Amino acid sequence: MEGCYNCMSLFSLRKRIFLPLIVAGIVVFGIGSYFVSNLENRQKQDAVHQETEAMQSHLQSMLDAKSEVMEASLRFIAQDKLLVAALQSKDRKALLALSAPIFERLHQQHNVTHFYFHDAHRVNLLRVHQPKRFGDTINRYTALGAEKSAAPFSGIELGPLGTFTLRSVLPVVNDGQLIGYIELGQEIDALIQEAHTVFHVELFILVGKQYLVQQDWEAGMRMLGRPFDWNKLPAYVLASQSLQEAPIEALKQFSAVRPGKDSRILRDIDFQGHRYWAGMIPVNDAGGRQVATLVMLRDMTQLISQSEKDMLLFTGISAVMSLGIMVLFYMILGRIEQQLTQSRQQLLEEGKKREGMQAGFIRQLQTEHLKLHESEEKFEKISASAQDAIICMDNEGNISFWNHAAETIFGYAQEEALGKNLHKLIVPERFREIHLKAFPEFQKSGQGAALGKTLELTAIHKDGTEFPVEIALSATLIAGKWHGIGVLRNISERKLAQLEIQQALHIQRVLDSILNISLPPLTLKEVLLKSLDVVLSIPAFSLLNKGSVFLVVNGEQTLEMVAQRNLPDALLHSCALLPFGRCLCGKAAQSREIVFFNHLDPQHEIRYEGIQPHGHYCIPIMSEGMLLGVLNAYVAAGHVSDEIEKRFLKTVADTMAVVIERKLTEEKLRELAHNDPLTGLPNRALFHDRLEQGLAQRHQQGLTVMFIDLDHFKEINDTLGHDMGDVLLKATANRLLACVRKSDTVARMGGDEFTVILTETTTSESAEHVAQSILKALMQPFDLNGIRCNIGCSIGIACYPAHGMDSETLLKNADTAMYRAKIKRNTYCYYSGD
């Protein structure tokens, strides 16, 4: 009976202790799992939302860039007087002849697919891409916008086939009167495919059915060879998709959102063995209507699978550790119960076995000592196998227990740590006073603000380096004095991951800022200066507010500094032109690789008096394998570089390459608009502009206009061919430039006609001297690829103010004088009223 009673008591004791522990453990594990899962879902949702915004910003930037290129092209086209005259006279045949070569170049260079001419009432006169179709009235939003604003107007238009076209319309005005409109357009489906490639996401375009006609749309999809089903979605049709099959059920959920509603995130879409998260981007046409929705599917399969594996691993480790601890406590309770039973039995038999009491007592002490030794050994093995540091502190603040993980984390062996003051050993000096101030209260009551909580603090390693830790503190009463127990974990890797996410966000903002800087009509130097300021202010990196941008000199192995911030004057002179391979920036240009030094290395060849220790990042600015320049950023001496920092700075350089190419393209367009493409001389438009400027400067003593026509050019062109004629025109332009000053202007008016503006010609002898120099220069034989030939020229001269007070009169009179000189040939003639 007594044995049964002991067993029941033992079972009752274990039940009372273990059941609450098991329930509490399950509850704590469930709550922790819920919060971890919820946090992961929020992070995934934020990532998808940010990627959706990044894609929307990327698409908008590309559309703005293409709109600017088309508007610049329209302005250039509108300067063609023959084409404007044909538009004003509504001569379709002339329009087609003049615009067809332009359309071919625009199609090849900028992917322009639509080219229109409309009259002042928006009635189409000519579709260059479809000449047989004309006469309809154009009521698109872009045409109406250009009519209303009397300025270029660009935007997206939805076609009847469910495709999107970016259109730019320019009103054409002649002598203050609107004579018609010129319109360019290009399909933007390629942008969607480019975004699919860049962002590695799947994209679907849903177009509202109310903006389409079913029969027209189905016929268009059949013509384009795309799959189609009008009734697949209730309110939208699927116009484009990057996957061969579409997740219809998920798209139906997006189609249920009414047009105009903000983008939202849809989670856990199971499709074709993958798990996707989706975001929605509204697509507005030029009239501000949301005519379509761009749905972005982000493949989260690998990320979700990895999260599930991590959670499963965490659950397994927690279960094993919990089971081990419970078994340990179960065994300890069993031994304690057994000891109590033995003690009770010994007391009952004390009277009977008084003679053997001493021997039994000794044996009992030996047994208890052995059990205690075994218990301590097991505890030490368990604590040694733990991945977290377990540290015990006595009432005096000294370390009383230090496991193997603590040795690994802090670098102190157990023999070095035991007995040392905990706060002096592992707490950084700047935080030590705060910890010591709260310690007396813990000594008295075992209470403290940090007890019972999990905190993130800073600890110090044996080598002096600081690192972040996560610590859970508790207190226990031993021999009437309070002792502390702490479980610490090194969270450096987790903090590093958080830092990488923050750096990525900073870099994305910097890239957006650089792209936005390039949008206004600024020069390349202004754009690079502003971009350099943005790069040097990146909060994620420790860059100094000093740096520069070099560009490759065209056709040379040389860098030219075009933008800088806070560089000394001595360095500006030494680094103005830098050959490839010289100093750090030249070596980066030569190797096409990032060059980094955190000190004044011997390869830092360019130095000056008073130079201070510093480091450099020299990043090549590359575009499709071609070197455009070098980004030079200063860092403090001793700066520690890593691959993440280099990768992000390389991304910044790639973005600057996009900006540089864009600005160079804009400058090339401006040059084409004002210079003759064959000779490089100013064209007719720039000649008139400079002549007007010269006449506006009233302080000048005089101004002379020369009109030059080559003699015998037609015979050379007819006999040797147009290619030789072009070579002759280029050589003639070089000889004319050699006969005038830098302040004078030589222009090509067309064909074999040239003009010259001589400024500050005080006497007629100075103009005659230039005319004689020109005659002499052009009388010299020309070498046309091995063929020698001779030409001459006839020069007509008109002087301001004697022969005219305005540019039109001066040019007309110079032309008249040239025809008089043409009678004799190879001479010059002044204008005469006779």
Side-chain angles (χ1 to χ4, degrees), residues 243 267-269 271 274-278 297-300:
L243 278 176
R267 303 186 298 178
D268 296 331
I269 300 172
F271 183 67
H274 293 262
R275 298 178 70 180
Y276 295 93
W277 283 34
L297 291 188
R298 179 72 163 86
D299 191 347
M300 308 291 281

Side-chain angles (χ1 to χ4, degrees), residues 420-615:
K420 299 290 179 62
N421 185 276
L422 176 70
H423 300 103
K424 293 182 180 179
L425 191 69
I426 67 173
V427 177
E429 186 174 358
R430 64 183 186 278
F431 301 123
R432 213 168 282 164
E433 182 179 355
I434 299 174
H435 289 267
L436 293 174
K437 191 176 294 183
F439 187 67
E441 178 64 23
F442 172 81
Q443 288 178 304
K444 295 178 183 178
S445 62
Q447 301 294 321
L451 292 175
K453 301 177 181 178
T454 300
L455 305 174
E456 291 184 2
L457 302 175
T458 302
I460 188 169
H461 193 269
K462 181 180 179 179
D463 61 8
T465 59
E466 296 184 1
F467 61 97
V469 296
E470 187 180 76
I471 180 171
L473 298 175
S474 60
T476 183
L477 194 62
I478 301 176
K481 293 185 178 181
W482 289 102
H483 292 242
I485 302 174
V487 179
L488 296 90
R489 174 178 298 173
N490 188 337
I491 58 173
S492 299
E493 292 183 358
R494 189 172 77 192
K495 288 292 185 181
L496 181 61
Q498 294 174 353
L499 179 61
E500 289 181 1
I501 294 174
Q502 292 176 354
Q503 289 177 338
L505 291 175
H506 287 311
I507 289 298
Q508 185 60 48
R509 295 192 184 101
V510 168
L511 299 182
D512 291 342
S513 298
I514 292 175
L515 291 174
N516 289 332
I517 287 171
S518 67
L519 296 179
L522 303 175
T523 64
L524 178 59
K525 181 176 181 180
E526 292 172 336
V527 170
L528 292 178
L529 277 172
K530 291 180 178 290
S531 300
L532 182 61
D533 290 338
V534 173
V535 173
L536 297 179
S537 64
I538 299 177
F541 305 130
S542 302
L543 301 179
L544 301 178
N545 191 25
K546 294 174 65 177
S548 58
V549 178
F550 293 86
L551 292 183
V552 176
V553 178
N554 190 22
E556 299 182 16
Q557 296 285 307
T558 305
L559 295 175
E560 179 183 8
M561 185 188 297
V562 296
Q564 63 86 21
R565 280 293 185 239
N566 303 319
L567 299 186
D569 293 337
L571 202 59
L572 296 179
H573 176 73
S574 302
C575 296
L577 290 175
L578 198 63
F580 283 14
R582 177 168 170 76
C583 205
L584 301 182
C585 294
K587 288 177 171 58
Q590 187 177 53
S591 65
R592 268 64 167 180
E593 298 289 340
I594 295 179
V595 174
F596 169 77
F597 285 98
N598 62 359
H599 59 282
L600 291 175
D601 188 84
Q603 297 186 57
H604 196 302
E605 301 169 21
I606 298 178
R607 305 198 180 193
Y608 56 92
E609 184 176 358
I611 189 172
Q612 297 298 316
H614 64 275

